[in-house]
Amino acid sequence: MPAVTDHVFNLPPESPKSVPTRIESDVRHFEDTTASLAGTVDALSARLDAARRAEGGGGQRASDRDLEIHQLTSRLRTLRRYGLDLCIGRMTLIDEPDPVYIGRVGVTDQSGRQLLVDWRTPAAAPFFNATAAQPMGVRSRRRYRWTRGQITDYWDEVFTADAADDGVWLDGDSALLAGLSASRSPRMRDVLSTIQADQDAIIRADSAGALVVDGGPGTGKTVVALHRAAYLLYSDARLTRGRLLIVGPHEQYLSYVADVLPSLGEEGVQTCTLRDLVAEGDTAVREADDVAAALKSTAGMVDAIETAVRWYEEPPTEPLLVETEWADVTLRRRDWAEAFAAPEAGMPHNEARGAIWQYLAETVRRRIGNDDLDLDDVQESLRRNDSLAAAVGRAWPMLDATDLVGDLWSVPAFLRMCAPWLAPDDVRRLQRERPDAWTDADLPLLDAARNRLGDRSADDRRRRRSAALRAERRRMDLVVDDLMASTTYDDGEGLMSMLRQKDLRDVLVDDSAAPDIEPGTFDGPFAHIIVDEAQELTPAQWRMVLRRNPSGSITIVGDRAQARAGFAESWSERLRSVGCRDVRVESLLINYRTPAEVMEAAEPVIRAAIPDANVPSSIRESGLPVRHASHGDRDVILAEWLARNDEGVACVIGDPDFTSTGRVRALDPITAKGLEFDLVVVVESEVFGSGITGAVDRYVSMTRATRELVILHPEGDHTGDQDERSGV
């Protein structure tokens, strides 16, 4: 059988897939694609160079230039990274002679011929969704495996009787199973070409409301979440750069999935953990007291922050004589009350003080009776009045979130006032010697406090910006006045007449000269948020997420059976209770990752604690039974596995004495969530608790395995069969 010598294909000479009639149309198509890609890269490079040389200017012009540079750079990086292997497969349609090639991005030649169809377009949907029962107009489908820029394998599927005319070869294998059998690595593998129909339907669902993706281990929830992000960025006009946020369970997860979105041509997605949403998250430790953690996790405790802030917003009740350079004015009780009611609803406490000063300035100017006074000048004069500044500072002080929350844990009377439903024992339990010894349970409250208070320096920055704009406006007035003074002719309709108009003078003011007010990196608002492992979020943590997503457009990915604290209600009930609207639930029921042997051992573990758990059905077997051994066998088992396997990643879960080495990771059940490994060694120890938490931790740990699972018991405490006490 002839070998394939074309540089695109690198197939074994003896393989029936290398017959020229089966691949010659691909070879021709990839030749055209190669030429087109080269021209596209040259054209994009020239545009990028021109954009970088262009003057930045200010305001919207600078923003547009930066956006163009970002888009061109991202497109070029994707094209240069992949080249031909942008193509993930092809499909031949009924009554269409030429195959349709599907790519990570769309590519056209100079004549406008579509060489690659972007996988996110409606035209590409049949490639992912066609089945024997519902061919969707597809005769045959081919998926490619690329290795270092060459096709080293491909898999064909047929949906009609005449599909043999497409030059297909059916070898009984599939791209999906081949991918599932491949060794794991420290980064999530590229799975775009093997997205399944049930997954693709969720990926392409519209972004309105709250969409729950519910599925057990191995169903591809994370795959769906990441590809849905790329799809929404392509299809939803609201999701411009920086407007989509993915919240993952831990840093290991973020590292594991870091390469997926760039591989799909999307680099404008922000990813974080819940800890990243709050500055104190970097140093916060785990709340050691489970009861204290539960008390802090409620929506009611978040609401207590509002009560705490309100306590600092009481207007003075005594009159105050204010001396100004124009006249003396007495501020009465009613004036104070109206000033303190002046901030708009929802305005952060610290930022609202500017509105109070503004109202006081208006009141004083009105009492003086001179409307020609510049209001900014009046306000600056009032701010220099020591007695008035002191009165405002006492009645509406600038507050810091850490001080406010710290007072709850150090002043029992303050906590009782803000959270009157707490029992005396609960109030005492929440007190601590160091109020600023932050824990993970404090973070939602710090976030709520910071959101309610706002930036204490925002008022100063706003004043500096206002002063800079006033100075720029005065400078422009001088320029216009000089121009008008030097011009002797004006027909009443020309330039000089226009310059007398205030609106045009305002347009001439360069607002880029004033300092901008930048929001925090993860403060939002975001047009869409995707939350993975969402079953773990407490009501307080949901508040952190939802306040950054006022539109209510959110994708929620999780598994009720993997909730360490239990999850008795339905997704709809849980989410509506925390404020989600228009909740839809889609379930994934097929386990693509975990071998049947592992699931047979793991299912009784979780069903013993959660009888209605959504345990998915595995579609493959590894041929390797689950093994039981003793703690002392750990190192031998790992050494033997490493000797047998030149590739792949193993993980030891539950052994605090083991340290990560080379291709063997050491994790606990919490940080193992969302990850997968060729070999998993579960070490029965005190790391695993009892009840629902213990069952969930064991279930999660066991189902990280894609090939082999070994369970290690204390010395003399296993028989090689299932351990009735732990469920494994």
Side-chain angles (χ1 to χ4, degrees):
M1 191 168 293
V4 176
T5 58
D6 187 271
H7 73 283
V8 176
F9 284 88
N10 184 12
L11 301 170
E14 68 278 4
S15 170
K17 296 182 180 181
S18 65
V19 173
T21 55
R22 294 194 173 108
I23 61 174
E24 57 188 1
S25 63
D26 284 352
V27 171
R28 290 193 300 269
H29 185 83
F30 288 132
E31 287 175 350
D32 294 342
T33 305
T34 297
S36 180
L37 285 173
T40 300
V41 168
D42 289 343
L44 291 174
S45 298
R47 286 178 56 191
L48 179 60
D49 290 341
R52 285 171 171 165
R53 288 194 300 269
E55 294 184 5
Q60 186 62 40
R61 181 180 174 186
S63 177
D64 291 344
R65 173 180 173 271
D66 291 345
L67 179 60
E68 181 183 15
I69 289 174
H70 170 81
Q71 291 173 336
L72 290 171
T73 301
S74 177
R75 176 77 169 180
L76 272 171
R77 187 180 293 116
T78 300
L79 296 181
R80 286 168 172 160
R81 172 179 179 173
Y82 284 100
L84 276 179
D85 46 348
L86 284 167
C87 182
I88 62 173
R90 76 177 199 193
M91 59 181 173
T92 303
L93 303 177
I94 297 173
D95 299 329
E96 292 289 339
D98 298 323
V100 176
Y101 289 81
I102 310 300
R104 297 175 185 279
V105 296
V107 175
T108 57
D109 63 14
Q110 291 185 342
S111 69
R113 180 168 65 113
Q114 193 79 43
L115 298 173
L116 292 179
V117 175
D118 192 300
W119 70 274
R120 294 167 288 194
T121 62
F127 176 82
F128 300 98
N129 293 321
T131 64
Q134 293 183 317
M136 300 180 67
V138 179
R139 292 199 314 176
S140 66
R141 173 169 57 202
R142 173 172 292 180
R143 305 178 195 256
Y144 303 110
R145 171 183 282 174
W146 293 86
T147 306
R148 291 185 288 276
Q150 293 181 304
I151 297 174
T152 53
D153 208 346
Y154 64 83
W155 296 268
D156 288 328
E157 300 166 86
V158 297
F159 302 102
T160 63
D162 62 347
D165 298 337
D166 299 339
V168 299
W169 174 257
L170 304 178
D171 57 5
D173 201 353
S174 73
L176 174 63
L177 290 176
L180 292 172
S181 300
S183 299
R184 265 48 187 176
S185 70
R187 294 288 179 91
M188 177 177 276
R189 295 177 301 106
D190 178 21
V191 296
L192 176 58
S193 66
T194 58
I195 293 292
Q196 299 300 293
D198 59 338
Q199 299 169 333
D200 189 67
I202 297 173
I203 290 170
R204 296 174 188 270
D206 68 69
S207 62
L211 174 64
V212 179
V213 184
D214 177 73
T219 54
K221 299 186 298 299
T222 297
V223 166
V224 167
L226 297 171
H227 287 74
R228 179 164 168 76
Y231 174 77
L232 291 178
L233 285 167
Y234 177 88
S235 64
D236 194 326
R238 298 175 307 119
L239 299 180
T240 55
R241 181 162 61 105
R243 298 295 311 284
L244 190 148
L245 178 68
I246 296 179
V247 181
H250 46 68
E251 289 296 335
Q252 290 87 343
Y253 167 95
L254 297 184
S255 297
Y256 182 58
V257 304
D259 202 41
V260 175
L261 283 165
S263 77
L264 299 172
E266 296 295 348
E267 298 179 342
V269 178
Q270 297 192 72
T271 61
C272 70
T273 68
L274 287 171
R275 284 176 174 269
D276 295 327
L277 300 179
V278 187
E280 292 75 14
D282 284 342
T283 56
V285 300
R286 181 181 176 277
E287 182 73 61
D289 186 338
D290 290 341
V291 175
L295 291 171
K296 294 177 182 180
S297 71
T298 64
M301 190 60 76
V302 178
D303 293 336
I305 296 298
E306 174 67 22
T307 305
V309 175
R310 286 288 186 186
W311 192 76
Y312 289 99
E313 296 180 347
E314 289 295 327
T317 57
E318 298 296 325
L320 178 67
L321 178 64
V322 179
E323 298 176 353
T324 76
E325 54 198 273
W326 305 281
D328 294 346
V329 174
T330 297
L331 294 175
R332 305 180 182 90
R333 179 172 183 169
R334 179 177 177 180
D335 298 324
W336 285 116
E338 291 176 349
F340 276 45
E344 296 180 3
M347 181 176 287
H349 170 90
N350 290 332
E351 298 170 30
R353 202 159 83 167
I356 294 173
W357 279 111
Q358 177 83 0
Y359 189 90
L360 291 174
E362 293 171 353
T363 300
V364 168
R365 186 175 68 173
R366 186 171 61 252
R367 295 280 176 77
I368 293 173
N370 184 355
D371 291 341
D372 292 333
L373 288 176
D374 186 282
L375 193 61
D376 289 332
D377 291 339
V378 175
Q379 184 179 156
E380 290 304 314
S381 175
L382 294 181
R383 286 176 181 266
R384 292 192 296 270
N385 185 297
D386 292 340
S387 59
L388 179 57
V392 173
R394 286 192 301 270
W396 194 291
M398 302 297 279
L399 300 174
D400 186 85
T402 55
D403 293 337
L404 187 78
V405 177
D407 285 347
L408 294 174
W409 317 144
S410 57
V411 184
F414 188 54
L415 178 58
R416 284 195 298 271
M417 182 198 72
C418 298
W421 63 87
L422 291 176
D425 287 345
D426 293 336
V427 172
R428 284 192 293 270
R429 181 184 290 272
L430 293 175
Q431 301 301 298
R432 62 191 184 207
E433 292 184 8
R434 283 191 53 202
D436 61 347
W438 305 117
T439 71
D440 54 358
D442 295 324
L443 299 182
L445 306 180
L446 286 166
D447 185 67
R450 195 160 281 129
N451 178 61
R452 178 62 178 84
L453 296 175
D455 186 353
R456 63 183 302 157
S457 63
D459 186 43
D460 289 338
R461 290 203 308 274
R462 191 174 290 107
R463 290 168 60 200
R464 289 196 299 271
R465 178 176 173 82
S466 178
L469 289 174
R470 290 201 306 274
E472 177 67 10
R473 188 172 289 108
R474 293 188 186 108
R475 186 185 70 82
M476 188 53 61
D477 286 345
L478 291 175
V479 171
V480 172
D481 291 343
D482 287 346
L483 183 60
M484 294 180 67
S486 64
T487 303
T488 57
Y489 172 75
D490 187 357
D491 61 3
E493 298 179 358
L495 175 63
M496 295 305 105
S497 176
M498 294 169 65
L499 289 175
R500 291 190 182 99
Q501 299 177 24
K502 181 179 183 300
D503 289 346
L504 183 59
R505 292 191 182 206
D506 288 343
V507 169
L508 294 174
V509 173
D510 181 12
D511 63 3
S512 67
D516 290 329
I517 301 174
E518 293 291 339
T521 303
F522 298 119
D523 283 349
F526 294 96
H528 192 85
I529 295 180
I530 296 176
V531 185
D532 204 350
E533 300 294 346
Q535 73 278 351
E536 299 294 354
L537 269 63
T538 67
Q541 290 171 331
W542 274 117
R543 292 285 187 92
M544 295 173 69
V545 173
L546 295 178
R547 80 164 184 83
R548 291 167 167 82
N549 178 234
S551 70
S553 175
I554 185 169
T555 300
I556 296 154
V557 183
D559 178 15
R560 292 171 59 248
Q562 295 185 56
R564 300 183 73 247
F567 200 125
E569 67 268 57
S570 68
W571 275 111
S572 295
E573 291 168 337
R574 167 73 64 91
L575 294 171
R576 287 179 182 132
S577 71
V578 297
C580 283
R581 306 183 298 274
D582 303 323
V583 179
R584 296 169 290 158
V585 180
E586 298 288 346
S587 296
L588 294 171
L589 304 174
I590 301 173
N591 189 330
Y592 299 104
R593 178 189 70 209
T594 316
E597 295 90 341
V598 172
M599 288 308 300
E600 287 173 5
E603 182 171 357
V605 174
I606 198 62
R607 290 226 186 270
I610 308 174
D612 66 341
N614 175 13
V615 179
S617 301
S618 295
I619 65 169
R620 68 187 183 97
E621 297 178 351
S622 67
L624 299 170
V626 174
R627 289 191 289 159
H628 294 259
S630 298
H631 284 183
D633 299 323
R634 182 196 67 194
D635 294 343
V636 172
I637 290 170
L638 293 173
E640 290 177 347
W641 181 85
L642 289 168
R644 292 195 313 269
N645 297 275
D646 295 330
E647 296 180 337
V649 181
C651 184
V652 176
I653 304 177
D655 189 345
D657 296 328
F658 185 77
T659 304
S660 296
T661 57
R663 290 189 290 128
V664 183
R665 301 280 301 279
L667 298 172
D668 60 38
I670 297 175
T671 53
K673 273 194 172 182
L675 309 182
E676 55 187 32
F677 307 94
D678 296 277
L679 167 69
V680 169
V681 178
V682 175
V683 181
E684 280 290 333
S685 66
E686 67 279 358
V687 170
F688 295 96
S690 58
I692 288 180
T693 301
V696 168
D697 284 350
R698 289 183 175 87
Y699 181 61
V700 168
S701 300
M702 296 169 71
T703 55
R704 300 308 94 197
T706 63
R707 287 188 184 177
E708 299 180 61
L709 171 64
V710 178
I711 301 170
L712 301 184
H713 304 267
E715 302 295 332
D717 193 30
H718 78 94
T719 63
D721 300 319
Q722 263 194 334
D723 182 0
E724 298 297 334
R725 287 166 296 173
S726 65
V728 297

